[in-house]
Amino acid sequence: MKSLLFGLAALCGALAMPVAQAQQLNILCSTEADWCESKAREFSVATGIKVSMVRKATGEVYAQIKAEAANPKTDVWYGGTHDPHLQAANEGLLQPYVSANMKEQYPWSADLLAKSGNQVAGIYRITLGFGYNRELLAKKNQKPPACWSDLVKPEYVGEIETSSPATSGTAYTILATVVQLMGEDRAFDYLRALHKNVNRYTTSGTAQRQSVSRGESLIGVTFLDEFIPEQHVGAPVETVLPCEGTGYSVGAMSIAKGARNLAEAKKFYDWALTAEAQTIRDQTKVIAIPSNRAAYAPEPVKALEKAKLINYDFVKYGSSAERKRLIDRWDREVRSAPR
């Protein structure tokens, strides 16, 4: 009887104890969906932390983090072009953090962290260019584009797909690149001419990968890492590094200011900067230059190093005011222009 009473007392005591809350993490991801899902799964297995991962375009994530500023629901913003991350940093929407693993990163990652006031770290690097469907091109008996200037030729009317800088970090990088290549007024003349050849502006800069692969669009303008996986599976896709030179972006990572799960966010941040986390196991999914020096880089990545890169001004074109001004001008003068 005594043992029964003791057992009941112990049970009651256990029930009265507060239940420990399971560790969790809320991540908004702006890179390839397969990569987002694999990173969430790998981190959860490694740490036991439950991850809620939602994939959205960079512009959409920026808008959400800004809207949630008074009551943050997002902990980590993972992936996507650096410009919207820098804009969020400039507006005080991010949490400064310097991981001990930064010592393992390439200088361009550390440079982004320093320029953002320790709020944004680089985790990969990608290069702008074109992809085209060679079978569709042959069917139309056309020559492939080799330069930015080729894209405005009349034979490409309605044949080019790109994204909108209002929602896509990729598209904003394209906009900032042509401005730096040509000068602003000439760049907007060029973009208005290009507008006549564009069949649609997508919300995300990743859509061109499948559109070109399937032959829905002849040419796609985006980061070249989008097209390389299609080549791995035998799609009739060729890539072009523009002859005049091109821009690039540093894929970024940041922590939302006021993150509810800050300790878990820092754990993910640290983990995401390791060589293990950045190793590309399935080369058909993601091709980008890892920021960790020890991470594996496949041959298609090394080929991208041959690109003639512009001296991209991350500070100027990453500022909130400059980004808004250029996007507003694009919306007024390009998006609404007649075809």
Side-chain angles (χ1 to χ4, degrees):
M1 184 68 177
K2 286 183 180 180
S3 61
L4 176 61
L5 290 174
F6 179 81
L8 288 172
L11 176 62
C12 290
L15 291 173
M17 292 175 64
V19 177
Q21 187 175 6
Q23 289 181 306
Q24 60 183 15
L25 185 64
N26 299 311
I27 301 177
L28 291 179
C29 184
S30 298
T31 188
E32 187 66 34
D34 290 325
W35 187 254
C36 296
E37 292 167 8
S38 67
K39 294 304 108 179
R41 183 171 57 252
E42 290 169 21
F43 175 72
S44 188
V45 168
T47 64
I49 296 172
K50 182 179 178 182
V51 177
S52 173
M53 176 85 80
V54 177
R55 200 273 168 202
K56 290 188 176 183
T58 50
E60 293 177 308
V61 176
Y62 162 73
Q64 181 172 334
I65 288 178
K66 187 172 183 178
E68 293 177 356
N71 185 25
K73 297 178 177 62
T74 301
D75 298 313
V76 174
W77 182 0
Y78 178 76
T81 52
H82 62 272
D83 300 286
H85 284 264
L86 287 175
Q87 185 176 3
N90 292 338
E91 296 182 14
L93 301 174
L94 304 178
Q95 166 75 39
Y97 180 59
V98 180
S99 170
N101 292 334
M102 282 305 301
K103 63 182 181 294
E104 301 171 6
Q105 314 307 304
Y106 282 113
W108 46 264
S109 175
D111 184 56
L112 181 62
L113 186 71
K115 288 178 177 176
S116 67
N118 294 333
Q119 296 176 75
V120 182
I123 50 177
Y124 57 85
R125 198 175 81 189
I126 46 181
T127 307
L128 280 178
F130 326 136
Y132 65 89
N133 186 301
R134 66 172 177 271
E135 292 181 355
L136 190 57
L137 193 83
K139 185 177 180 181
K140 292 175 179 288
N141 196 27
Q142 294 176 335
K143 293 182 179 179
C147 309
W148 290 103
S149 58
D150 291 335
L151 298 183
V152 298
K153 291 180 176 179
E155 57 260 40
Y156 296 137
V157 170
E159 302 281 17
I160 298 173
E161 180 182 297
T162 187
S163 46
S164 167
T167 57
S168 167
T170 298
Y172 176 72
T173 305
I174 295 169
L175 172 57
T177 292
V178 296
V179 166
Q180 291 171 85
L181 268 172
M182 304 173 187
E184 187 170 328
D185 289 339
R186 280 189 58 218
F188 273 88
D189 289 341
Y190 170 82
L191 291 168
R192 283 190 291 271
L194 179 63
H195 177 69
K196 296 176 182 178
N197 290 357
V198 172
N199 55 34
R200 68 168 178 156
Y201 295 101
T202 59
T203 300
S204 171
T206 65
Q208 290 67 44
R209 168 181 172 176
Q210 291 189 340
S211 296
V212 173
S213 179
R214 294 170 180 168
E216 296 167 2
S217 292
L218 176 62
I219 300 168
V221 185
T222 186
F223 288 106
L224 292 182
D225 62 289
E226 292 298 328
F227 298 117
I228 292 172
E230 295 302 308
Q231 294 174 331
H232 274 281
V233 295
V237 176
E238 301 293 340
T239 58
V240 179
L241 288 165
C243 69
E244 302 98 333
T246 193
Y248 64 97
S249 180
V250 176
M253 175 175 62
S254 51
I255 298 174
K257 185 176 182 179
R260 296 178 182 180
N261 305 294
L262 183 58
E264 290 78 10
K266 290 180 177 180
K267 286 181 182 178
F268 179 86
Y269 200 103
D270 292 339
W271 175 83
L273 290 170
T274 63
E276 173 66 16
Q278 293 187 14
T279 293
I280 302 170
R281 293 180 177 82
D282 185 347
Q283 295 179 37
T284 67
K285 299 297 183 185
V286 173
I287 302 295
I289 302 169
S291 66
N292 190 298
R293 292 185 179 91
Y296 173 71
E299 286 304 316
V301 167
K302 295 176 183 177
L304 295 179
E305 289 296 317
K306 299 176 183 177
K308 179 182 177 182
L309 299 178
I310 65 170
N311 186 19
Y312 198 105
D313 190 335
F314 294 112
V315 174
K316 178 178 180 179
Y317 293 98
S319 73
S320 301
E322 187 68 1
R323 180 184 176 87
K324 183 179 185 304
R325 186 185 69 79
L326 287 176
I327 292 175
D328 286 348
R329 183 173 180 182
W330 181 88
D331 200 46
R332 289 193 314 271
E333 299 183 17
V334 180
R335 183 63 179 267
S336 58
R339 297 284 185 177

